[in-house]
Amino acid sequence: MLESDLIEKLHDCQKVVVFTGAGISAESGIPTFRDAQTGLWSKFNPQDVASTEAFRKNPQLVWDWYVHRAEFVRNAEPNSGHKAVSTLQACVADLSVITQNIDNLHQRAGTRNVLELHGSLFRLKAFVDTDELFAGDTSPIICHICDGYAIFDECDPYASKEDLSAIELRAGPVPRCPGCGALLRPDIVWFGEPLDIDILDSATRLADSCDLLICIGSSLEVQPAASIPVRAKCAGATIIEINPEPTSLSSHADVFLQGKAAEILPAFVNMVWNNGETSC
Ligand code: OAD
């Protein structure tokens, strides 16, 4: 699969970034977004289920859609691709994952240092409709429970952060913040929304300073996430890409390994870091 010089170079890399998209979870049974036939966006219009406008128009519809996805993901298991990332983390001095996935499967496979660029299905936050809030005559404050904007008179001083963290993405009416009564929504980046600036900043720094970036299972069609592997390339990192289909990165990668992550990644990790032995 790889030349011995390259194996040696990869083995010496100290700072590794694994950049992942929906493809790494495909073999856990979680649909990707853009694959023809099976991709989520071939069945749903993202504007109808994953946008501020959709939630404003019909919060229950959007909530129910994410409840369904969360149930699906809770029943899925990390596959051998996720596990190989975790194995690799034990082999190199410094490995971080930058993922576009919201499914928590890297963490469930035992991987640490995971930056979730697009949020998580397993955290909630307040839906803040600033247009509506700032249109009234009362000045909004920051809610002491959900950190979203709230109206002072509507806040419950006895509510605690634990009351909020006890609420999950489960079937039922859309829950409200126990502190201020704002509707709660999944902490996911919706269409048209900016990424969390601190997370994006951390991801950019990692891209600028890594020796090796392994890009797995992303179509690289969504910005600014798609710029991360390109930044790493421009900063001089070695780039490996794993995907059944070529992407805009493939011709710029040092190696493009064509195939499924769950099959290719364990073999790749074993070849570079284990030399066929059982431990690295
Ligand atoms: P996409 O659905 O756009 O791309 C999935 C990629 O995974 C494609 O390039 C496939 O060829 C590849 N793939 C499919 N099966 C694979 C397998 N078994 N092993 C490896 N790769 C495989 O998903 P993303 O690039 O993750 O954003 O999409 C980026 C963002 O677009 C998502 O985070 C989501 C979506 O809109 C938000 O929801 C904000």
Side-chain angles (χ1 to χ4, degrees):
M1 186 198 301
L2 302 172
E3 304 278 327
S4 58
D5 286 3
L6 181 63
I7 292 181
E8 212 170 298
K9 182 178 172 192
L10 295 174
H11 195 270
D12 288 345
C13 287
Q14 299 293 311
K15 222 172 157 194
V16 178
V17 167
V18 176
F19 177 89
T20 61
I24 195 167
S25 298
E27 273 141 289
S28 294
I30 301 175
T32 61
F33 294 93
R34 291 178 186 78
D35 282 296
Q37 317 293 326
T38 55
L40 275 181
W41 298 154
S42 68
K43 299 194 174 77
F44 299 92
N45 180 347
Q47 292 298 342
D48 295 343
V49 286
S51 71
T52 315
E53 290 69 33
F55 193 82
R56 189 183 284 127
K57 201 163 112 195
N58 192 342
Q60 192 67 53
L61 183 141
V62 174
W63 180 261
D64 291 346
W65 191 72
Y66 280 105
V67 165
H68 177 70
R69 283 189 67 193
E71 281 310 310
F72 200 75
V73 166
R74 281 187 192 103
N75 290 326
E77 293 296 331
N79 63 51
S80 49
H82 299 105
K83 289 176 192 162
V85 175
S86 179
T87 302
L88 179 55
Q89 191 164 55
C91 296
V92 297
D94 180 351
L95 182 143
S96 303
V97 172
I98 303 173
T99 189
Q100 298 165 88
N101 299 345
I102 56 175
D103 58 23
N104 207 34
L105 289 181
H106 282 298
Q107 292 91 331
R108 283 176 56 199
T111 304
R112 292 162 287 105
N113 304 338
V114 181
L115 282 179
E116 294 170 315
L117 286 179
H118 292 164
S120 170
L121 273 171
F122 300 101
R123 282 192 307 273
L124 299 175
K125 66 179 185 182
F127 175 70
V128 178
D129 196 339
T130 42
D131 290 357
E132 204 175 279
L133 261 174
F134 288 96
D137 355 307
T138 337
S139 296
I141 58 153
I142 303 291
C143 169
H144 66 298
I145 301 302
C146 67
D147 298 326
Y149 281 114
I151 301 298
F152 181 71
D153 292 351
E154 291 168 13
C155 287
D156 174 358
Y158 300 106
S160 73
K161 293 258 184 201
E162 286 73 42
D163 295 332
L164 176 61
S165 47
I167 303 173
E168 290 186 323
L169 187 52
R170 299 275 182 191
V174 185
R176 290 181 178 272
C177 167
C180 65
L183 287 171
L184 294 176
R185 53 164 277 188
D187 188 358
I188 288 168
V189 177
W190 282 338
F191 279 79
E193 291 185 326
L195 272 61
D196 180 297
I197 191 71
D198 294 331
I199 294 178
L200 183 59
D201 191 44
S202 303
T204 309
R205 281 165 204 262
L206 287 169
D208 288 346
S209 61
C210 65
D211 311 319
L212 167 63
L213 183 141
I214 309 171
C215 178
I216 308 166
S218 177
S219 63
L220 300 172
E221 288 196 17
V222 174
Q223 293 291 358
S227 65
I228 298 291
V230 180
R231 270 191 90 110
K233 173 79 186 167
C234 294
T238 303
I239 309 291
I240 307 288
E241 187 185 31
I242 301 175
N243 199 313
E245 303 295 334
T247 69
S248 56
L249 182 71
S250 308
S251 58
H252 306 285
D254 294 83
V255 181
F256 172 51
L257 299 171
Q258 190 157 18
K260 295 177 175 178
E263 289 165 9
I264 302 262
L265 192 58
F268 171 71
V269 170
N270 189 49
M271 178 175 281
V272 177
W273 284 273
N274 284 350
N275 284 329
E277 304 295 322
T278 47
S279 73
C280 47

